[in-house]
């Protein structure tokens, strides 16, 4: 079992690392730079080249059955789900074959709405303590399932 974290702008890196440490899971923090090294030998900070979706491509090429991916990026989530990985959003929502299509369609619709109405920009919901708690609970459950 490997845990892949789309680490650029991920609000739950610390929480994910704590859960992974309890389960002795290998972790890959994938980013474009700016992360400090982690002293745990099971945690790898992967710095990819600058550019759109380079970190996503690195993760998508490696994640597979038995692995867990943490990302808020829906196209990356879709690729990881297709590859057989369990995928969690930062708030603990799971991306699955049953829901990823709808989530991608909603994302596209909202992008169109924001483009047509400049007053909609930045109207997303703030990340909350409840989101963080739900993420921790769901990641713990996912780690237990993947470890079986």
């Amino acid at each position: 079992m490997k845990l892949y974290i789309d680490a650029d702008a991920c609000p739950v890196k610390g929480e994910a690392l704590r859960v992974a440490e309890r389960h002795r899971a290998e972790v890959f923090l994938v980013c474009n730079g700016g992360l400090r090294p982690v002293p745990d030998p099971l945690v790898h900070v992967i710095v990819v080249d600058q550019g759109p979706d380079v970190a996503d491509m690195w993760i998508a090429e490696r994640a597979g059955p038995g692995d867990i991916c943490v990302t808020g990026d829906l196209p990356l989530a879709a690729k990881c789900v297709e590859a057989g990985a369990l995928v969690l959003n930062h708030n603990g929502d799971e991306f699955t074959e049953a829901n990823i299509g709808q989530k991608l369609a909603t994302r596209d619709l909202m992008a169109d709405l924001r483009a047509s109405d400049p007053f909609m920009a930045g109207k997303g919901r703030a990340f909350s303590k409840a989101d963080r708690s739900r993420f921790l609970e769901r990641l713990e459950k996912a780690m237990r399932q993947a470890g079986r």
Side-chain angles (χ1 to χ4, degrees):
M1 165 185 39
K2 294 179 178 114
L3 176 62
Y4 294 95
I5 301 174
D6 186 6
D8 290 320
C10 176
V12 290
K13 286 186 287 284
E15 291 83 352
L17 290 175
R18 285 195 304 275
V19 173
E21 183 179 16
R22 274 198 305 275
H23 291 272
R24 301 304 303 153
E26 192 170 15
V27 179
F28 295 88
L29 292 168
V30 186
C31 65
N32 294 110
L35 289 185
R36 293 186 178 124
V38 178
D40 187 329
L42 289 176
V43 178
H44 311 281
V45 176
I46 307 298
V47 179
V48 298
D49 292 333
Q50 295 292 322
D53 303 324
V54 177
D56 298 350
M57 288 185 286
W58 193 96
I59 294 169
E61 290 170 358
R62 290 160 178 82
D67 295 332
I68 300 169
C69 177
V70 176
T71 186
D73 183 276
L74 288 171
L76 171 59
K79 289 175 187 168
C80 291
V81 165
E82 184 179 334
L86 189 146
V87 185
L88 294 176
N89 193 345
H90 307 131
N91 65 8
D93 287 345
E94 184 176 346
F95 297 114
T96 65
E97 288 181 5
N99 71 14
I100 194 67
Q102 176 188 356
K103 290 185 182 293
L104 283 166
T106 301
R107 170 187 169 259
D108 293 342
L109 173 64
M110 293 307 294
D112 289 345
L113 289 173
R114 281 189 297 276
S116 67
D117 183 358
F119 296 108
M120 283 191 71
K123 297 287 183 185
R125 189 175 65 82
F127 189 73
S128 70
K129 288 181 182 180
D131 292 330
R132 192 175 305 279
S133 176
R134 188 172 45 257
F135 171 80
L136 277 166
E137 177 184 320
R138 300 245 171 96
L139 181 59
E140 179 66 36
K141 181 180 174 185
M143 287 279 190
R144 287 182 186 160
Q145 287 175 339
R148 290 185 190 148

